[in-house]
Amino acid sequence: MERFYITTPIYYVNDVPHLGHAYTTVAVDVLARYQRARLGPENVRMLTGTDEHGLKIQEAAHKRGETPIELADRVVERFRAAWRALDISNDDFIRTTEPRHKAVVLDLWRRLEQQGDIYLGDYEGWYCISCEEFYPESQLAGGKLCPVHEREVTRVKEQSYFFRLSKYQDALISYIEQHPGFVQPTIRKNEVLGFLRSEPLRDLSISRTTFGWGIQAPEHPEHVIYVWIDALTNYISALGGPGADGYQRFWEAARTIHVIGKDILRFHCVYWPAMLLSAGLPLPRTVFAHGWWKVSGKKISKGLPATRIDPVQLSEDVGADAVRYFLMREVPLGADGDFSYEGLIGRINSELANDLGNLLNRSAAMLRKYVGGKIPALAGGDDPLDVELRTTAERARDDAGKALDELAPSRALDAIWELVRLANRYVDQTQPWVLARNPEGKARLDVVLASFAESLRWIALLVAPFLPRSATEIQRQLGLSSGERWPSAWRYPGSQVAETGAVLFQRLDEPAAATLIDKWLAKAGAPKAEAPEAPTEPAPPTKPDVAKITYEDFGRLDLRVGRIVKADRIPKADKLLHLHVEIGEPAPREVVAGIATAYAPDGLVGKQVVFLANLEPKKIRGILSHGMVLAAGDAEVLALSGLDREVVPGTKVK
Ligand code: MSP
């Protein structure tokens, strides 16, 4: 029995939900919905919740003249409302102030204690309240600022319980080495390993005595348990903790995945597994750290209202599906992203309104006109165009399924949109309007309409994890019951088209888009789009000036489509791969590419890339590298260049 358990981080209640929180939660929701379609809802669990203890929350409440629980009770409703607005399908919502959570935190503490892994000591160090973490002096910026938040740290000197983290250093290293899928993507795995190998781990201070907002340590009520120990436990407390039925089904006997932002990697890949190792409990199968969103190039921060994108407002104005789609489509999970309203509107217009919305409009209109809304069952369909439609659908299903299994939602959308575009082309090529004109065309018309309806039925099922509302609307318009299973058989059952049909996505022309953007900016308390924003924080470092080049200069670049036919690691070079790339010449080109931290060699063979063919050859690690594979990213490679459809290798790129 295959089971799947997936979690978001639990969000601090000193902030209201913004785009960053929405991103993780939508990604997890998409992956959970897909697994429900594959495994059945009873075999999948998705968890989210709120992190409500700790000094940070206590201080935030104090500033507002509230008690911490009043603050938590108020803000938790904002999170619940945001997830409702975004159609998040979490099976449970955990709050760390709930008794069911507290019981498991205490149980875990006792387990660590029984192992002899908790001891009392004195702690003196620098603490950042925003991170809720101690920093060694060497890591402080300017000797006194937290390296993450750049806010002043406070000196803490108190008695504290410690967890013997140091004892697990070697075990963690070998666990991560032996379980390549544990920390993903590879770049984050290397980051964790780098940290673990760099210096001896220090034991972790896991209790505090100078404030009271938290769970009291067993037998030591003057100690409050460190908020991260408390928070990480949510992943199992929501299942009832060790021994509970839910825990057995979804922690011990499931594929367990924590999706987090890259900011909280160390807590999840060092502290949490060390605690579980100590307690003798199974580790999660995967911790996947995604990238960080900025807004128009700026870090999301309370001091910059324009960066505080409100996902609820966006969903009200353009629909939850559009927001979900944009977040999943814009950047691969793992890479950093930059949000702009213009980018959101661009994707709504081209991919949602044009590609998908049009497809449904056309189909409903055509089906009414040619067969009075009665879609025939699919019989036959052996014409090459029908076969192409079916095989493309099968490929989209297989590729999208594989991508979602591998936690790559943007890749899944690539595959699905191949089918969306082909379905549009299928109508153009089969020309139902011509077939409808003469009676001999009737049999063929039935096959065409049924094939086309079948492709739409599949598309609804494939987009459902991303666009649940659109999927239901497509099914409703086709007169089908809203199925949720991943598609299997290519067999249109026949149906009666619904009488009404809503437009899936409204195209936003320029004036409409400008009005919306102004409204969003005004709501955030930011100046209008045209007005230059007052610099409220130091400008981000600007890129070095790139000299302009002429068309002739550009024409000198021999850019071509290449297909990777062989990829190997290079001994003792962590970052480099040795690639053979077919570019329309008798023999493939050999190049050395610095992409090993982002790509494993196995997954590369067959990929199409943009290739610079007339770059001066250069010897790298003893290999004559003859050209260059183009990729996105600056210091670190984030994604290889690719083409959105197959093209013969060697074709010029301009
Ligand atoms: N409470 C801790 C997590 C405990 S998990 C056991 C916490 N909470 S948080 O409210 O600060 O949320 C952090 C998470 O929000 C990040 O890990 C990420 O998932 C999401 N994001 C917050 N800002 C983000 C961006 N700007 N971009 C992408 N995701 C971001 O840390």
Side-chain angles (χ1 to χ4, degrees):
M1 173 59 61
E2 213 183 321
R3 292 203 194 90
F4 187 82
Y5 178 49
I6 191 161
T7 64
T8 73
I10 48 172
Y11 303 108
Y12 285 128
V13 287
N14 69 328
D15 200 358
V16 294
H18 61 59
L19 189 84
H21 308 124
Y23 181 54
T24 320
T25 314
V26 167
V28 166
D29 186 63
V30 166
L31 299 169
R33 281 176 184 268
Y34 162 68
Q35 295 294 344
R36 284 193 201 105
R38 201 171 74 84
L39 304 172
E42 66 285 4
N43 293 316
V44 175
R45 251 182 121 70
M46 169 188 168
L47 176 70
T48 188
T50 41
D51 192 350
E52 305 187 354
H53 287 136
L55 187 53
K56 173 158 55 184
I57 308 302
Q58 180 174 303
E59 286 198 346
H62 183 73
K63 266 195 206 141
R64 291 176 176 85
E66 286 175 306
T67 62
I69 194 67
E70 280 167 353
L71 171 77
D73 284 346
R74 191 167 49 76
V75 176
V76 75
E77 291 313 319
R78 297 284 300 268
F79 278 95
R80 289 192 203 273
W83 305 152
R84 271 197 305 275
L86 281 165
D87 289 328
I88 302 301
S89 63
N90 49 301
D91 299 291
D92 196 356
F93 188 106
I94 183 96
R95 298 181 59 181
T96 54
T97 47
E98 289 176 74
R100 62 168 175 157
H101 173 72
K102 185 176 158 190
V104 180
V105 173
L106 296 180
D107 176 55
L108 191 60
W109 177 286
R110 290 201 182 95
R111 284 170 189 261
L112 305 188
E113 214 166 29
Q114 273 159 20
Q115 292 307 311
D117 282 343
I118 291 185
Y119 64 91
L120 189 62
D122 284 314
Y123 195 85
E124 181 163 8
W126 297 104
Y127 196 72
C128 169
I129 297 173
S130 294
C131 300
E132 296 276 19
E133 158 111 292
F134 285 102
Y135 283 101
E137 195 145 342
S138 58
Q139 279 182 27
L140 298 178
K144 58 176 182 180
L145 301 179
C146 150
V148 177
H149 294 89
E150 293 179 356
R151 66 175 268 183
E152 216 162 297
V153 289
T154 33
R155 190 77 186 162
V156 168
K157 186 176 178 200
E158 57 191 290
Q159 224 187 22
S160 160
Y161 282 98
F162 284 83
F163 169 60
R164 286 187 208 284
L165 187 61
S166 54
K167 184 170 149 191
Y168 294 96
Q169 181 153 12
D170 293 340
L172 285 170
I173 294 175
S174 52
Y175 187 87
I176 295 171
E177 283 171 345
Q178 282 159 22
H179 298 82
F182 176 53
V183 187
Q184 294 186 38
T186 311
I187 183 172
R188 302 294 159 219
K189 181 181 90 178
N190 294 341
E191 196 179 315
V192 177
L193 278 175
F195 166 74
L196 282 170
R197 287 181 185 138
S198 65
E199 51 187 282
L201 277 183
R202 295 179 323 149
D203 288 347
L204 186 65
S205 157
I206 53 163
S207 74
R208 302 285 308 273
T209 54
T210 49
F211 71 96
W213 183 236
I215 299 174
Q216 292 167 337
E219 274 67 78
H220 310 290
E222 69 287 7
H223 284 260
V224 157
I225 298 177
Y226 175 40
V227 62
W228 271 100
I229 301 284
D230 171 347
L232 289 160
T233 308
N234 91 88
Y235 300 128
I236 56 172
S237 69
L239 299 172
D245 184 47
Y247 174 90
Q248 275 160 6
R249 280 155 40 86
F250 287 103
W251 191 260
E252 288 180 345
R255 180 176 169 207
T256 43
I257 299 180
H258 301 318
V259 178
I260 59 168
K262 64 181 182 182
D263 52 322
I264 51 177
L265 189 66
R266 195 188 302 176
F267 300 102
H268 283 81
C269 301
V270 179
Y271 300 174
W272 179 227
M275 286 160 64
L276 291 167
L277 284 174
S278 165
L281 304 177
L283 270 50
R285 189 86 62 85
T286 297
V287 176
F288 189 103
H290 64 63
W292 204 241
W293 280 88
K294 290 187 172 180
V295 173
S296 304
K298 297 197 177 108
K299 203 169 158 185
I300 299 179
S301 81
K302 287 189 180 156
L304 289 175
T307 64
R308 316 260 323 146
I309 306 290
D310 175 3
V312 177
Q313 180 71 52
L314 285 188
S315 308
E316 275 170 19
D317 290 329
V318 297
D321 277 5
V323 178
R324 295 169 61 101
Y325 179 81
F326 177 80
L327 290 175
M328 293 300 97
R329 184 72 193 78
E330 187 71 1
V331 285
L333 203 66
D336 292 334
D338 192 23
F339 178 90
S340 73
Y341 293 123
E342 292 76 9
L344 169 68
I345 287 168
R347 288 211 185 263
I348 293 176
N349 283 344
S350 64
E351 287 150 44
L352 295 178
N354 249 8
D355 293 343
L356 184 63
N358 258 350
L359 189 65
L360 181 63
N361 280 353
R362 282 175 97 179
S363 70
M366 237 170 34
L367 293 167
R368 279 197 198 100
K369 190 158 167 197
Y370 303 131
V371 283
K374 245 179 113 80
I375 315 174
L378 178 60
D382 308 326
D383 185 275
L385 291 176
D386 309 340
V387 173
E388 188 191 13
L389 186 63
R390 176 171 53 76
T391 51
T392 305
E394 285 164 355
R395 199 171 48 241
R397 173 199 55 197
D398 296 347
D399 291 355
K402 183 163 183 293
L404 288 168
D405 251 330
E406 293 171 358
L407 317 180
S410 70
R411 217 172 73 215
L413 284 173
D414 282 341
I416 298 168
W417 249 248
E418 288 277 321
L419 174 62
V420 171
R421 297 201 178 103
L422 182 76
N424 264 321
R425 241 181 305 143
Y426 177 81
V427 182
D428 300 336
Q429 290 171 332
T430 51
Q431 301 186 312
W433 49 94
V434 174
L435 297 172
R437 259 185 245 140
N438 68 56
E440 295 93 85
K442 173 71 179 131
R444 177 72 190 135
L445 180 66
D446 278 357
V447 174
V448 164
L449 293 180
S451 301
F452 180 54
E454 178 63 352
S455 72
L456 256 179
R457 187 178 76 86
W458 274 48
I459 287 168
L461 296 174
L462 297 176
V463 299
F466 299 89
L467 312 172
R469 287 188 202 188
S470 305
T472 308
E473 179 58 18
I474 296 173
Q475 288 162 339
R476 195 190 65 76
Q477 290 196 27
L478 287 180
L480 297 168
S481 56
S482 45
E484 281 169 358
R485 281 308 176 102
W486 202 236
S488 54
W490 183 257
R491 192 176 338 109
Y492 196 76
S495 67
Q496 175 69 42
V497 175
E499 274 172 24
T500 54
V503 170
L504 281 188
F505 296 96
Q506 207 72 49
R507 243 193 99 77
L508 293 160
D509 58 14
E510 255 179 57
T515 311
L516 259 185
I517 294 178
D518 281 347
K519 173 177 141 185
W520 289 331
L521 289 172
K523 281 230 162 180
K528 284 195 168 197
E530 307 80 46
E533 274 189 30
T536 46
E537 70 166 17
T542 47
K543 292 238 166 82
D545 261 356
V546 179
K548 293 220 170 20
I549 61 166
T550 62
Y551 278 87
E552 287 73 34
D553 292 335
F554 181 71
R556 290 173 57 210
L557 300 179
D558 182 5
L559 290 170
R560 299 192 210 170
V561 174
R563 179 191 284 123
I564 301 175
V565 290
K566 192 165 183 291
D568 299 296
R569 293 198 186 280
I570 299 177
K572 298 208 192 88
D574 289 352
K575 297 199 169 145
L576 303 177
L577 291 183
H578 180 184
L579 305 179
H580 289 63
V581 187
E582 185 186 337
I583 59 160
E585 295 175 344
R589 286 283 187 96
E590 289 188 47
V591 290
V592 173
I595 56 172
T597 48
Y599 289 90
D602 302 351
L604 285 173
V605 173
K607 264 203 190 335
Q608 292 213 322
V609 290
V610 176
F611 190 87
L612 177 60
N614 61 338
L615 185 68
E616 193 173 58
K618 189 173 177 186
K619 205 162 204 168
I620 304 172
R621 300 282 173 135
I623 300 164
L624 190 64
S625 182
H626 200 171
M628 183 186 277
V629 163
L630 302 194
D634 201 359
E636 64 191 45
V637 165
L638 300 172
L640 274 180
S641 60
L643 297 140
D644 72 354
R645 63 186 60 148
E646 285 275 312
V647 178
V648 179
T651 306
K652 183 154 182 57
V653 176
K654 49 181 195 168

